[in-house]
Amino acid sequence: MESSTVQESDPEKKRPDLAPSLEINDAAPADGSSVPTSEDLKTLPRVCDKISNAIFFMVVAEVAERFTYRSLTGPMQNYIQNPLHDTSHPGALGKGQATATAIGYFFSCWCYLTPIFGAIVADSWLGRFKTILVGTITATVGVSILFITSIPICLEKGAGFPGLIVALFIIGLGAGGIKSNVGPLVAEQYVTKEPRLSIDSQGHQVIIDPDITVQTIFSRYYWIMNIGACSGLVAVWLELKVGFWGTFLVPLCIYACAVIVLIVGRNNCVTHPPEGSIVSKAVHALWIGLKNNRDMDKARPSYHIQQYGSSTLPWDDHFVDELKIALTACRVL
């Protein structure tokens, strides 16, 4: 009888698997929120969480990159095509239209190619924040070279064209470290992964949704980033009123400010250690498949274990399956 009484008065001992979920649902954090039930998820409105402005401090690197890109691509045609002392058109190098167009296309292509390498460096060695910082410093050096060699006395001594080529190459390298990492790093700053209940300012119960919060973060991120895209208006005005050195001085100052902001705020950033680049793994797996008559099954670790007794491949069979699906979608194999 005593045993029966204990079981009836303490039903959680009959079903201990329910106890953890009941404790989680009933417990409320200090801010008054709690885990929503399935009914709450269906009926309650979803809202954005509070977003700290500190999340966006690393966006200054992306703003500087966009500002510099637009500041260079706008006046670049005149800078390269027209001669220095042309009274009818602003210019500096006098290399002609064909050369100016070719260099302009090269710079655009280079800036959109280097993020591939920037992502590999971040994932394999430096991590995202350090790669952004190194990229910002690198681009600052490149813009400094461009600014110095665009001063009239340097142009008259023939330093303009070699300085331009070196500067564009270095600026593109820096842009690669920035463009591929700022967006993912911004997303990593919001660490909440699960929805929770809360009370809004009007006393209504709502669900704080991480997905909506991330969408809002990226909406603000792109809004801030596009501020830098307006620099083309300033660049052409400075080209006309001041000269090309004035046009290139502004992005140099912006990049210098970005370096300072990143260094000062580096301890406020949520970072993760590099875990290896999926790009390098994919290239390695593809190379194994190509060497074996385009047979991707030869890149499976299970195949290597079966054939050689062990495998040192840094991926699993599922990774090869996903790679085969991607190749099929692209109609490569």
Side-chain angles (χ1 to χ4, degrees):
M1 291 294 293
E2 292 180 358
S3 174
S4 174
T5 303
V6 171
Q7 290 181 358
E8 291 177 359
S9 62
D10 194 2
E12 289 184 1
K13 291 186 177 181
K14 295 172 61 178
R15 300 182 63 184
D17 56 313
L18 293 181
S21 61
L22 289 174
E23 291 177 1
I24 293 174
N25 283 327
D26 291 340
D31 62 352
S33 62
S34 61
V35 178
T37 64
S38 58
E39 185 65 23
D40 293 333
L41 293 173
K42 294 178 181 178
T43 58
L44 293 180
R46 298 170 182 260
V47 298
C48 176
D49 200 355
K50 294 181 180 179
I51 301 174
S52 172
N53 292 330
I55 290 179
F56 300 102
F57 87 91
M58 73 282 295
V59 180
V60 67
E62 186 78 26
V63 172
E65 189 278 327
R66 287 290 85 191
F67 194 100
T68 300
Y69 181 82
R70 297 300 179 185
S71 295
L72 299 188
T73 54
M76 187 180 298
Q77 188 74 22
N78 285 340
Y79 182 72
I80 302 172
Q81 177 177 337
N82 302 322
L84 180 60
H85 298 294
D86 189 341
T87 56
S88 58
H89 300 91
L93 303 181
K95 296 297 182 179
Q97 182 178 5
T99 301
T101 303
I103 293 176
Y105 281 130
F106 160 77
F107 181 62
S108 297
C109 179
W110 181 238
C111 286
Y112 285 98
L113 179 65
T114 52
I116 299 175
F117 306 107
I120 294 174
V121 170
D123 292 338
S124 300
W125 296 290
L126 296 182
R128 290 195 174 98
F129 182 80
K130 289 183 179 179
T131 304
I132 293 171
L133 180 58
V134 171
T136 306
I137 295 174
T138 301
T140 304
V141 173
V143 179
S144 300
I145 295 173
L146 183 60
F147 164 69
I148 293 172
T149 56
S150 67
I151 297 174
I153 189 173
C154 295
L155 291 174
E156 292 175 355
K157 293 184 178 181
F161 188 68
L164 172 71
I165 300 301
V166 173
L168 294 183
F169 181 80
I170 296 176
I171 292 170
L173 286 177
I178 296 170
K179 291 177 65 66
S180 57
N181 293 293
V182 172
L185 186 60
V186 168
E188 289 178 357
Q189 303 311 297
Y190 184 70
V191 297
T192 302
K193 303 300 181 183
E194 299 295 333
R196 67 183 191 274
L197 290 174
S198 186
I199 305 298
D200 63 12
S201 58
Q202 299 178 349
H204 300 149
Q205 195 173 40
V206 295
I207 295 177
I208 297 178
D209 193 331
D211 292 337
I212 294 178
T213 304
V214 172
Q215 292 175 13
T216 305
I217 289 173
F218 272 95
S219 295
R220 297 180 184 179
Y221 161 65
Y222 284 111
W223 186 88
I224 296 172
M225 184 184 69
N226 284 328
I227 295 176
C230 299
S231 62
L233 301 175
V234 179
V236 294
W237 184 85
L238 289 172
E239 172 192 351
L240 178 64
K241 299 296 183 180
V242 179
F244 290 100
W245 66 269
T247 301
F248 302 145
L249 176 61
V250 176
L252 174 59
C253 295
I254 298 295
Y255 256 129
C257 292
V259 172
I260 295 173
V261 171
L262 290 175
I263 293 175
V264 171
R266 65 187 184 278
N267 294 327
N268 298 323
C269 180
V270 177
T271 59
H272 301 282
E275 299 177 351
S277 173
I278 191 173
V279 176
S280 59
K281 293 179 182 178
V283 171
H284 188 187
L286 288 172
W287 177 245
I288 294 175
L290 289 173
K291 289 194 303 182
N292 291 276
N293 197 25
R294 299 196 298 178
D295 185 2
M296 291 301 300
D297 290 332
K298 300 294 179 63
R300 296 178 181 273
S302 60
Y303 173 81
H304 283 247
I305 293 174
Q306 181 181 0
Q307 294 293 321
Y308 310 114
S310 63
S311 173
T312 59
L313 298 176
W315 58 77
D316 54 17
D317 288 355
H318 181 65
F319 177 81
V320 178
D321 291 335
E322 291 183 335
L323 193 58
K324 289 174 67 176
I325 293 173
L327 292 172
T328 302
C330 296
R331 302 294 183 184
V332 175
L333 293 178

